[in-house]
Amino acid sequence: MDILRKLYDMTAFSNLLENPAPLLMLFVGVVLLYLGIKKQYEPLLLVPIGFGVILANLPGAGMGIVPGEFIELGDHKYMNLFEIAHEYGIMNFLYYSLIKTGLLPPIIFMGVGALTDFGPMLRNLKLSLFGAAAQLGIFSVLLVAIAAGFSPKEAGSLAIIGGADGPTAIYTTIILAPHLLGPIAIAAYSYMALVPVIIPFMVKLTCSSKELKINMKEQDKLYPSKNVIKNIKAVKIAFPIVLGIVIAFFVPSSVPLLGMLLFGNLVKEIGANTLRLSDAASGPIMNAATIFLGLTVGATMTSDVFLDFKTIGIIVGGFFAFAISVIGGIFLVKGYNMFSKKKINPLIGATGLSAVPMASRVANEIALKYDTKNHVLQYCMASNISGVIGSAVAAGVLISFLG
Amino acid sequence: MDILRKLYDMTAFSNLLENPAPLLMLFVGVVLLYLGIKKQYEPLLLVPIGFGVILANLPGAGMGIVPGEFIELGDHKYMNLFEIAHEYGIMNFLYYSLIKTGLLPPIIFMGVGALTDFGPMLRNLKLSLFGAAAQLGIFSVLLVAIAAGFSPKEAGSLAIIGGADGPTAIYTTIILAPHLLGPIAIAAYSYMALVPVIIPFMVKLTCSSKELKINMKEQDKLYPSKNVIKNIKAVKIAFPIVLGIVIAFFVPSSVPLLGMLLFGNLVKEIGANTLRLSDAASGPIMNAATIFLGLTVGATMTSDVFLDFKTIGIIVGGFFAFAISVIGGIFLVKGYNMFSKKKINPLIGATGLSAVPMASRVANEIALKYDTKNHVLQYCMASNISGVIGSAVAAGVLISFLG
Amino acid sequence: MDILRKLYDMTAFSNLLENPAPLLMLFVGVVLLYLGIKKQYEPLLLVPIGFGVILANLPGAGMGIVPGEFIELGDHKYMNLFEIAHEYGIMNFLYYSLIKTGLLPPIIFMGVGALTDFGPMLRNLKLSLFGAAAQLGIFSVLLVAIAAGFSPKEAGSLAIIGGADGPTAIYTTIILAPHLLGPIAIAAYSYMALVPVIIPFMVKLTCSSKELKINMKEQDKLYPSKNVIKNIKAVKIAFPIVLGIVIAFFVPSSVPLLGMLLFGNLVKEIGANTLRLSDAASGPIMNAATIFLGLTVGATMTSDVFLDFKTIGIIVGGFFAFAISVIGGIFLVKGYNMFSKKKINPLIGATGLSAVPMASRVANEIALKYDTKNHVLQYCMASNISGVIGSAVAAGVLISFLG
Amino acid sequence: MSENFELALQLLGIGMGTVFIILFLVILIGNTIIKFVNRFIPEAQKVIRQNVTSVLGITSPEKMAAIVSAVQIVTGGKGKVTSINKE
Amino acid sequence: MSENFELALQLLGIGMGTVFIILFLVILIGNTIIKFVNRFIPEAQKVIRQNVTSVLGITSPEKMAAIVSAVQIVTGGKGKVTSINKE
Amino acid sequence: MSENFELALQLLGIGMGTVFIILFLVILIGNTIIKFVNRFIPEAQKVIRQNVTSVLGITSPEKMAAIVSAVQIVTGGKGKVTSINKE
Ligand code: NA
Ligand code: NA
Ligand code: NA
């Protein structure tokens, strides 16, 4: 009898009887895995996040992230990392050393930079503007979220989902509202994964067939731009350096993200001489960062954190942030076309959202549906990449004012 | 004169005159290197461990791991990692951040998972049971070790050597008896390396030639199993998810190990969509973890820790734990064969020990020696892999009751 | 009006008006990038260092390294790493966990070891001596620096530039004078990059055409050495083990650097059985370490640190340390040639400096200029590699006496 | 000591029991998943993967093989293609 | 709440304003760099690379060229050999 | 200062002395190992390596190429050989 009692105590069933909520969270974890594996929604992130949710909600396993207050000692003192590991286990050790310090999102941005080619943007610089308009979802949902009762910091974290950029959303949320990290990260990555659904939907809602047939190459022939780039390699090397310095003067709080992005891009563009660095940044470093980011962000989603009305607010608000961002880009194009002889395809506005490169691919497919010869991919990439800069800048603004 | 005096003080000779014990440990380190390099006993671990032993015992170099009490401040407070580095150098920094936190063994298990194929086990599920029987060495040696005067925690760490799984042994020892980490890790890896000697020896001791000639494929033809797997990929993806959740309910303390193993396996089985993650988990992450695990575990073996009667106990006890585990597996097969028409080759019991995949290869060679057409590799892999699960579960039980 | 005010406050322009010195540092950063990218001076280090300088000097971005006193709490207590991240951002987190702990230089040395081939040295063991003579720059500049008013610790850090070895210089400076880390690292890597200028200049200054035509292969034929290596693989495996132990007895403080170098070399020489380890050590681990070392070392160069008379002292002193080291090697050869029938090409003394393998290549080109058939590369590599050992030993001496 | 010994005896029972229960569950779970999959998703689906090779513009496997074999031949079997990145 | 709402309204202005300013700057910087480069360094320079091949024991440039050209031909110039590791 | 200068002078002696001693030892150790190896293990032994390719039974580059192409064909171009390490 005694042995059976001890055996029972070893298991997690008593915990489950006390509080069955984790079972619901296990279901949420399995759904995320399903979306990542079967539906192929951003599998590189949703699979680790989903598994992290499961790990965190296995009762008695001690893999869930504890709230920040647990490690505060008051008077600006905190438990040290060794004590965190000792007290709360390896997941909290990873979370508090890699995520809560704000380290991994900039590290991932370094890898993203090493995989980014600013070429399409440099060849169509004007189109960058639409990457600005497509941040509209961020600031308008911020307004609505505050009206709906979110605190400004929470609202800022929610709104940044409209930037359609995972690391940016996570970085902003770590600083502003770490208790919402799980749902916001998941909403961000899920909607990014849903770009092939959201963009066509918003485009159909707002654009005429005639607009979608605007052929950018023909427009280029009709109204050729003056700039020819004679030495693209030199331009690509100088661009991240100068850009990084100038943006930093205006929005210094965006430097941890943008600075690392541009550093990654620089070592890539230098080429053979720094190949070891760009290979490492975009390979093992980024991949390892992705694993630990996903698992620990997922592990923040314990049942008491996730099963909250705010989660619904985040899911709904996140969608509108996304949708409004797409519309923002489209309507700036429409406005531009009213005053310019050289017309722009509104799809290029829609991709200002970022979600590189999927948004551009989706936009290209839409264009081809209306005109099988109308390849807009390279043009979309211009606004698409500038949308990444746009949301990092927006994040910097939010952090400056709300952080 | 003064200069020569100062020169002499700089060297380590005065330390050696005071305490020549480290010289013996240098010899131990060289022996471990010899085993790893020349005898090719688990070189991936024994070479870093051996080198770590040497580094730790170079007098004056400050590369040896200091006992846990040195960093305790009392009242559940510990020195922080920066202070540890400052005070005790980089080896202690690595040890206390990566090993004593319990981080690296689960990280290595993630890599092991990404290299493991549950296919053979899924095709012969029943054989998994022998991976349970082969944990007998753990719990019987636990009994003996306690009788011999080891404390329960020390006995648990010693006994887990019978799990024939390096990361599991290290993880358990970190939690239960970190002061024995060096000798236990070395015993575990050495006996795993000696599997090609131990298994044939135990098999010869317990099995008849007739038993060893049992041909599994013929048995399969005579008594075919009903299950056919129509979609192995789907099964392989679902298996780690469901298994992880269910085991966690029963033995939550095994989650850090098994959860990471199954996560690594999941991203591997998903395939191309998460290839970046499985590549990172089984490549740079696991390799880097192996280097730092080996060096720091070796560095725990300072002369005062190693030159102790307990070390002998560990070496002797570890061997019996191994041997009894092999016997446990074999005898469950013998028992099974007494009641079943469909016979099982006892080699499949012997490989329940784990030590994947070497045990299976060794068993296969033995089978071929008795019958050149009797390939048992795939069947052995079934119990072999289940033996990994078995020892992680056993570790969880030990940690729950003794930790 | 209010909005514009707030917008202005968000930017860094007010900071720049207060203190425009960072602009000068941005210029320094751009110059370093120019040297690394266009002039190809050690791009793997100078590009991250240059970018780190820029990041650190973007006002308001919080990416500059704060002085060590900022994290001291008195009474041998320090802020913990989590608090450092929280208070001073990710750059300081990386710096204080990876650099100030002394971790990355030994880690990079492990990678260097895994890329080093002791073969040429083993085949010409006698030439190793010139790697000793070429440490003369270190100890003579130490004398001058102290005379010039540097504190002994600062002088030691400055002098180690004459070792022509980046990680050694950084490691020594971390321990002796961390506030000079930026300028010393940059001076070290810049002069290493300038080896193709410095060596020919010093050689021309001190060697006659006749000396430079000394053909080592002919000398070998005239005066053959007795040793033939029958089993190079075994020698290469035993060498790092024995060497590590023996050097450690004499200069234990050099173990963190030399021990890791020799470990990296050992796993490389073992070959296939530890391929995973040497691949990891010389690949992802070293590359990641290089990125974070470069960025954070660069980030120590805030304007108040760099714009100091000591920086000029470091630049001037570093050059002389380099130059005298080259001369030291050359003059030992000249001395040797006075007493020996078998003559040695003084270029082999010049490469004792280290800066592997560039110094050897440069020396080889000089030799070929004087005699198109006089290939001295393999001989130069012997003194070149021993120069690495020499400077690590010199660093150990400095650390023992000044640390 | 005798108390510890009792604990060890108990653990022998609990431990082996747990291990057997878990591995019974492994069998049960495995069989259940196999049956479930056999009934509901018996056929492997075509997964639209993000094709690494297509990104490289390597359209045929023969081409890929050609690269690898070229490397092998030229390096005397000592080289390996760790990765081929698109520029 | 109403105070927060005002803050949000301000941020809508400041935020969108900043984003537009920055992306105007992106255009400006991009065009300036292009013009500068077109005028002062219009031609790409030959980069003297640190040669990896000698380390590999690939002694002849012909062999190396064979590998590279194989990769180039097969990938239509889009692939590059990032590393060939000798064992 | 003069005290420091004296320290520096001492270090010049101690430092250069130590460096020379160590590099003499390097020569000594190197020669000793070479002699020892020449006498006791003069021939390189065949190491029974855990050969990845031999496990796969790949003996020639052609076979290697064949495997890669087979993988490609079988996976419809969706699989890639990330690395096959040959010893
Ligand atoms: Na965006
Ligand atoms: Na086992
Ligand atoms: Na040197």
Side-chain angles (χ1 to χ4, degrees):
Chain A
M1 262 331 280
D2 192 43
I3 285 191
L4 286 179
R5 176 84 231 160
K6 283 188 179 171
L7 226 157
Y8 177 76
D9 288 346
M10 181 186 71
T11 70
F13 296 110
S14 58
N15 312 44
L16 273 178
L17 284 178
E18 263 177 49
N19 175 19
L23 287 178
L24 203 61
M25 293 309 299
L26 291 179
F27 179 74
V28 171
V30 170
V31 168
L32 290 171
L33 286 180
Y34 176 82
L35 296 177
I37 297 169
K38 186 75 190 302
K39 293 285 178 189
Q40 308 191 49
Y41 287 4
E42 297 277 335
L44 285 175
L45 262 300
L46 283 195
V47 169
I49 289 179
F51 210 91
V53 172
I54 290 174
L55 288 177
N57 290 282
L58 295 169
M63 301 286 268
I65 303 305
V66 299
E69 300 88 54
F70 280 41
I71 66 146
E72 280 184 37
L73 304 174
D75 196 29
H76 288 280
K77 303 291 297 169
Y78 296 85
M79 283 172 70
N80 69 48
L81 294 172
F82 182 76
E83 289 164 351
I84 291 170
H86 198 76
E87 199 77 37
Y88 301 119
I90 57 168
M91 266 323 203
N92 282 287
F93 176 65
L94 288 171
Y95 174 78
Y96 280 102
S97 51
L98 300 178
I99 309 295
K100 195 69 195 302
T101 54
L103 183 64
L104 288 196
I107 296 296
I108 291 178
F109 249 50
M110 176 170 73
V112 170
L115 294 172
T116 297
D117 177 7
F118 281 121
M121 196 173 115
L122 287 165
R123 280 187 214 94
N124 294 283
L125 270 167
K126 265 187 209 160
L127 302 180
S128 307
L129 267 197
F130 304 110
Q135 309 310 319
L136 188 64
I138 296 175
F139 294 102
S140 50
V141 163
L142 173 72
L143 204 78
V144 177
I146 283 182
F150 280 86
S151 81
K153 289 187 179 200
E154 292 175 340
S157 298
L158 190 171
I160 198 68
I161 296 173
D165 187 280
T168 299
I170 289 171
Y171 185 77
T172 309
T173 308
I174 290 165
I175 292 175
L176 296 181
H179 58 291
L180 301 181
L181 187 52
I184 284 175
I186 286 166
Y189 282 106
S190 301
Y191 291 132
M192 282 166 67
L194 284 171
V195 151
V197 180
I198 295 174
I199 287 188
F201 179 75
M202 300 314 295
V203 163
K204 208 162 247 176
L205 214 69
T206 54
C207 302
S208 69
S209 154
K210 191 186 150 200
E211 283 175 316
L212 296 173
K213 283 184 184 161
I214 294 171
N215 187 313
M216 298 298 290
K217 274 177 198 155
E218 281 174 17
Q219 294 289 322
D220 269 355
K221 275 180 204 154
L222 288 172
Y223 312 97
S225 67
K226 299 144 233 161
N227 272 341
V228 178
I229 306 177
K230 292 183 186 162
N231 180 353
I232 186 75
K233 183 169 169 116
V235 172
K236 280 182 175 179
I237 287 174
F239 186 69
I241 301 170
V242 180
L243 189 67
I245 293 174
V246 174
I247 293 182
F249 287 152
F250 285 83
V251 197
S253 46
S254 67
V255 167
L257 284 175
L258 277 182
M260 293 306 274
L261 179 86
L262 296 171
F263 173 69
N265 186 251
L266 176 64
V267 291
K268 178 210 152 205
E269 294 300 350
I270 291 173
N273 279 336
T274 50
L275 192 60
R276 277 180 161 269
L277 306 185
S278 53
D279 276 359
S282 63
I285 294 176
M286 190 166 77
N287 297 341
T290 304
I291 288 175
F292 294 121
L293 183 99
L295 285 175
T296 51
V297 164
T300 62
M301 297 239 295
T302 52
S303 56
D304 26 325
V305 167
F306 188 79
L307 302 176
D308 188 300
F309 276 107
K310 279 177 186 162
T311 303
I312 298 172
I314 288 166
I315 291 170
V316 175
F319 175 77
F320 280 103
F322 242 73
I324 297 171
S325 286
V326 176
I327 290 180
I330 291 175
F331 273 74
L332 185 64
V333 173
K334 285 174 179 265
Y336 179 92
N337 284 349
M338 280 165 59
F339 299 100
S340 163
K341 268 186 285 181
K342 184 173 179 177
K343 304 297 180 199
I344 292 174
N345 191 313
L347 286 166
I348 286 144
T351 55
L353 174 75
S354 57
V356 182
M358 207 205 281
S360 295
R361 286 199 204 133
V362 168
N364 194 44
E365 277 172 38
I366 299 173
L368 292 174
K369 218 182 280 171
Y370 285 86
D371 173 357
T372 52
K373 289 181 181 172
N374 191 8
H375 295 272
V376 297
L377 188 70
Q378 290 302 310
Y379 301 93
C380 287
M381 283 303 286
S383 65
N384 210 179
I385 293 164
S386 79
V388 176
I389 298 173
S391 22
V393 168
V397 172
L398 292 175
I399 290 167
S400 299
F401 280 84
L402 306 174
Chain B
M1 261 332 278
D2 192 43
I3 286 190
L4 286 179
R5 176 85 230 159
K6 283 188 179 170
L7 227 157
Y8 178 74
D9 287 346
M10 179 186 72
T11 70
F13 296 108
S14 57
N15 312 45
L16 273 178
L17 284 178
E18 262 177 50
N19 174 19
L23 287 178
L24 203 61
M25 293 308 299
L26 292 179
F27 179 73
V28 171
V30 169
V31 169
L32 290 171
L33 288 179
Y34 176 82
L35 295 178
I37 297 169
K38 186 75 191 303
K39 293 285 177 188
Q40 309 191 48
Y41 288 5
E42 297 278 335
L44 286 175
L45 261 301
L46 283 194
V47 170
I49 289 179
F51 210 90
V53 172
I54 290 175
L55 289 177
N57 289 283
L58 294 169
M63 301 286 268
I65 303 304
V66 299
E69 301 87 56
F70 280 42
I71 67 146
E72 278 184 38
L73 304 174
D75 197 28
H76 288 279
K77 304 291 297 171
Y78 296 86
M79 283 172 71
N80 69 48
L81 294 172
F82 182 76
E83 289 164 350
I84 291 170
H86 199 76
E87 200 76 36
Y88 301 119
I90 57 169
M91 267 321 202
N92 282 287
F93 176 64
L94 288 171
Y95 174 78
Y96 280 101
S97 51
L98 300 178
I99 308 295
K100 195 70 195 301
T101 54
L103 184 64
L104 288 196
I107 296 296
I108 290 178
F109 249 49
M110 177 169 73
V112 170
L115 293 172
T116 297
D117 178 8
F118 281 120
M121 196 173 115
L122 288 164
R123 280 188 214 93
N124 293 283
L125 270 167
K126 266 187 211 160
L127 303 181
S128 306
L129 266 198
F130 304 110
Q135 310 309 320
L136 188 63
I138 296 175
F139 295 102
S140 50
V141 164
L142 173 72
L143 205 76
V144 177
I146 284 182
F150 280 88
S151 81
K153 289 188 180 199
E154 291 175 342
S157 299
L158 191 171
I160 198 69
I161 297 174
D165 187 280
T168 299
I170 290 171
Y171 185 77
T172 308
T173 308
I174 290 165
I175 293 174
L176 296 181
H179 57 291
L180 301 182
L181 187 51
I184 285 176
I186 286 167
Y189 282 107
S190 300
Y191 291 133
M192 284 166 67
L194 284 171
V195 151
V197 180
I198 295 173
I199 287 188
F201 178 75
M202 300 314 295
V203 164
K204 210 162 247 177
L205 214 67
T206 56
C207 301
S208 70
S209 155
K210 191 185 151 201
E211 284 174 318
L212 294 174
K213 283 184 183 162
I214 294 171
N215 188 314
M216 298 298 291
K217 274 177 198 155
E218 281 172 17
Q219 294 289 322
D220 269 355
K221 274 180 205 154
L222 288 171
Y223 312 97
S225 66
K226 300 146 234 162
N227 272 341
V228 178
I229 306 176
K230 293 184 188 162
N231 181 352
I232 185 75
K233 182 168 170 118
V235 172
K236 280 183 175 179
I237 286 174
F239 186 69
I241 301 171
V242 180
L243 188 68
I245 293 173
V246 174
I247 293 183
F249 287 152
F250 286 83
V251 196
S253 46
S254 68
V255 168
L257 284 175
L258 276 182
M260 293 306 274
L261 180 87
L262 297 171
F263 173 69
N265 186 251
L266 176 65
V267 292
K268 178 211 151 201
E269 294 300 348
I270 291 172
N273 278 337
T274 50
L275 193 59
R276 276 180 161 269
L277 306 185
S278 53
D279 276 359
S282 62
I285 293 176
M286 190 168 74
N287 297 342
T290 304
I291 288 176
F292 294 120
L293 183 99
L295 285 175
T296 52
V297 163
T300 62
M301 297 238 294
T302 51
S303 56
D304 26 325
V305 167
F306 188 78
L307 302 176
D308 188 300
F309 277 107
K310 281 178 183 160
T311 303
I312 297 171
I314 288 165
I315 291 170
V316 175
F319 175 77
F320 281 102
F322 243 74
I324 297 171
S325 286
V326 176
I327 290 180
I330 291 174
F331 274 73
L332 186 64
V333 173
K334 286 174 178 266
Y336 179 92
N337 284 347
M338 281 165 59
F339 298 100
S340 164
K341 268 186 286 181
K342 183 173 180 178
K343 303 298 180 201
I344 292 174
N345 192 314
L347 286 166
I348 286 144
T351 55
L353 174 77
S354 56
V356 183
M358 207 205 281
S360 295
R361 285 198 204 134
V362 168
N364 192 45
E365 277 171 39
I366 298 173
L368 291 174
K369 219 181 281 173
Y370 286 85
D371 172 356
T372 51
K373 288 180 181 172
N374 191 9
H375 296 270
V376 297
L377 188 71
Q378 291 301 311
Y379 300 93
C380 288
M381 284 302 287
S383 65
N384 209 181
I385 293 165
S386 79
V388 176
I389 298 173
S391 25
V393 168
V397 172
L398 293 175
I399 290 167
S400 300
F401 280 84
L402 305 174
Chain C
M1 264 329 282
D2 191 43
I3 285 191
L4 286 180
R5 176 83 231 162
K6 282 187 179 172
L7 227 158
Y8 177 75
D9 286 347
M10 180 186 71
T11 70
F13 295 111
S14 57
N15 312 45
L16 273 179
L17 284 178
E18 262 176 50
N19 173 19
L23 287 178
L24 203 60
M25 293 308 299
L26 292 179
F27 179 74
V28 171
V30 169
V31 168
L32 290 171
L33 287 179
Y34 176 82
L35 296 177
I37 298 170
K38 187 73 190 303
K39 293 284 178 188
Q40 307 191 51
Y41 288 4
E42 298 278 332
L44 286 174
L45 262 299
L46 283 194
V47 170
I49 289 179
F51 210 91
V53 172
I54 290 174
L55 289 177
N57 289 283
L58 295 169
M63 301 286 267
I65 303 304
V66 299
E69 300 88 55
F70 280 42
I71 67 146
E72 279 184 37
L73 304 173
D75 198 27
H76 288 280
K77 303 291 296 170
Y78 297 85
M79 285 171 70
N80 69 48
L81 294 172
F82 183 76
E83 290 164 350
I84 291 170
H86 198 76
E87 199 76 37
Y88 301 119
I90 55 169
M91 266 323 201
N92 281 288
F93 177 64
L94 288 170
Y95 175 77
Y96 279 102
S97 51
L98 301 178
I99 308 296
K100 195 69 196 300
T101 54
L103 183 64
L104 289 196
I107 296 297
I108 290 178
F109 248 49
M110 177 170 72
V112 170
L115 293 172
T116 296
D117 179 7
F118 281 119
M121 197 173 113
L122 288 165
R123 280 188 215 93
N124 293 283
L125 270 167
K126 264 187 211 160
L127 302 181
S128 306
L129 267 198
F130 304 110
Q135 310 309 321
L136 188 65
I138 296 175
F139 295 101
S140 50
V141 163
L142 172 72
L143 204 79
V144 176
I146 284 182
F150 280 87
S151 82
K153 290 187 179 201
E154 291 175 341
S157 299
L158 191 171
I160 198 68
I161 297 174
D165 188 280
T168 299
I170 290 171
Y171 184 77
T172 309
T173 307
I174 290 165
I175 293 174
L176 295 182
H179 58 290
L180 301 182
L181 187 51
I184 285 175
I186 286 167
Y189 282 107
S190 301
Y191 291 132
M192 283 165 68
L194 283 171
V195 151
V197 180
I198 295 174
I199 288 188
F201 179 74
M202 301 313 297
V203 164
K204 208 162 247 175
L205 215 66
T206 55
C207 301
S208 69
S209 154
K210 192 186 150 198
E211 284 173 316
L212 296 173
K213 283 183 183 161
I214 293 172
N215 188 314
M216 298 299 290
K217 274 176 198 157
E218 282 173 16
Q219 295 289 322
D220 269 354
K221 276 180 205 156
L222 288 172
Y223 312 97
S225 66
K226 300 144 234 163
N227 273 341
V228 178
I229 305 176
K230 293 185 186 161
N231 181 351
I232 186 76
K233 184 168 167 117
V235 172
K236 280 182 176 178
I237 287 174
F239 186 68
I241 301 171
V242 180
L243 189 66
I245 293 174
V246 175
I247 293 183
F249 287 152
F250 286 83
V251 196
S253 45
S254 68
V255 168
L257 285 174
L258 277 181
M260 294 305 275
L261 179 87
L262 296 171
F263 174 69
N265 186 251
L266 177 65
V267 291
K268 178 210 151 203
E269 295 299 348
I270 291 172
N273 279 336
T274 50
L275 192 58
R276 277 180 160 269
L277 306 185
S278 53
D279 275 359
S282 62
I285 293 176
M286 189 167 77
N287 297 341
T290 304
I291 289 176
F292 294 121
L293 182 99
L295 285 175
T296 52
V297 164
T300 61
M301 299 240 293
T302 52
S303 56
D304 25 327
V305 168
F306 189 78
L307 302 175
D308 188 299
F309 276 107
K310 280 178 185 160
T311 303
I312 297 171
I314 288 165
I315 290 170
V316 174
F319 175 76
F320 281 102
F322 243 72
I324 297 171
S325 286
V326 176
I327 290 180
I330 291 175
F331 274 73
L332 186 64
V333 174
K334 287 173 178 265
Y336 179 93
N337 284 349
M338 280 165 60
F339 298 100
S340 164
K341 267 186 285 181
K342 184 173 180 179
K343 303 298 180 198
I344 292 174
N345 192 314
L347 287 166
I348 286 145
T351 55
L353 175 76
S354 57
V356 182
M358 207 203 281
S360 295
R361 284 200 204 133
V362 168
N364 193 44
E365 277 172 39
I366 298 174
L368 292 174
K369 218 181 280 171
Y370 285 85
D371 172 356
T372 52
K373 287 179 182 173
N374 190 10
H375 295 270
V376 297
L377 188 71
Q378 290 302 311
Y379 301 93
C380 287
M381 283 303 287
S383 64
N384 210 180
I385 292 164
S386 79
V388 176
I389 298 173
S391 23
V393 168
V397 172
L398 292 175
I399 290 167
S400 301
F401 280 85
L402 306 173
Chain D
M1 235 278 275
S2 121
E3 197 184 308
N4 285 343
F5 193 76
E6 204 179 309
L7 174 67
L9 261 178
Q10 278 190 351
L11 271 175
L12 178 57
I14 293 174
M16 289 308 290
T18 308
V19 172
F20 270 102
I21 290 171
I22 296 296
L23 285 161
F24 266 116
L25 280 169
V26 166
I27 298 174
L28 194 72
I29 292 167
N31 278 323
T32 311
I33 291 175
I34 290 171
K35 276 175 197 153
F36 180 92
V37 167
N38 281 355
R39 174 169 310 174
F40 296 105
I41 32 174
E43 260 174 90
Q45 287 155 302
K46 294 278 167 69
V47 181
I48 308 137
R49 290 179 209 144
Q50 291 181 291
N51 193 330
V52 181
T53 44
S54 74
V55 171
L56 297 176
I58 301 173
T59 41
S60 77
E62 291 80 1
K63 284 183 179 180
M64 180 65 194
I67 293 173
V68 173
S69 82
V71 170
Q72 290 277 331
I73 290 162
V74 169
T75 62
K78 285 170 186 165
K80 68 178 180 186
V81 177
T82 37
S83 63
I84 301 183
N85 296 346
K86 190 192 169 194
E87 180 53 22
Chain E
M1 234 280 273
S2 121
E3 197 185 309
N4 285 342
F5 193 76
E6 204 179 311
L7 174 67
L9 261 178
Q10 278 189 349
L11 272 176
L12 178 57
I14 293 174
M16 290 307 289
T18 308
V19 172
F20 269 103
I21 290 170
I22 296 296
L23 284 161
F24 266 116
L25 281 170
V26 166
I27 298 174
L28 194 71
I29 292 167
N31 278 324
T32 309
I33 292 175
I34 290 170
K35 275 174 197 154
F36 180 91
V37 168
N38 281 355
R39 175 168 311 175
F40 296 105
I41 32 173
E43 259 174 274
Q45 288 156 301
K46 295 277 167 72
V47 181
I48 308 134
R49 288 180 210 145
Q50 290 179 295
N51 196 335
V52 184
T53 46
S54 70
V55 174
L56 296 176
I58 301 173
T59 40
S60 76
E62 289 81 0
K63 283 184 180 179
M64 183 64 197
I67 293 173
V68 173
S69 83
V71 171
Q72 290 277 331
I73 290 163
V74 168
T75 63
K78 284 168 188 166
K80 69 176 174 185
V81 178
T82 39
S83 65
I84 300 180
N85 297 343
K86 189 195 169 188
E87 166 29 30
Chain F
M1 233 279 272
S2 123
E3 197 184 310
N4 286 342
F5 193 76
E6 204 179 312
L7 173 67
L9 262 177
Q10 279 189 347
L11 272 175
L12 178 57
I14 293 175
M16 289 308 291
T18 308
V19 172
F20 269 102
I21 290 171
I22 296 297
L23 285 160
F24 267 116
L25 281 169
V26 166
I27 298 173
L28 194 71
I29 292 167
N31 278 324
T32 310
I33 292 176
I34 290 170
K35 276 174 198 154
F36 180 91
V37 168
N38 281 355
R39 174 168 313 175
F40 296 105
I41 31 174
E43 258 175 274
Q45 287 155 300
K46 294 277 166 70
V47 182
I48 307 136
R49 291 180 207 145
Q50 289 182 294
N51 191 329
V52 181
T53 44
S54 75
V55 169
L56 297 172
I58 305 171
T59 41
S60 75
E62 288 80 2
K63 284 187 182 173
M64 176 68 198
I67 289 174
V68 173
S69 86
V71 168
Q72 291 276 331
I73 289 162
V74 166
T75 61
K78 283 165 189 166
K80 72 170 179 185
V81 177
T82 37
S83 66
I84 298 182
N85 299 342
K86 193 189 171 188
E87 169 26 30

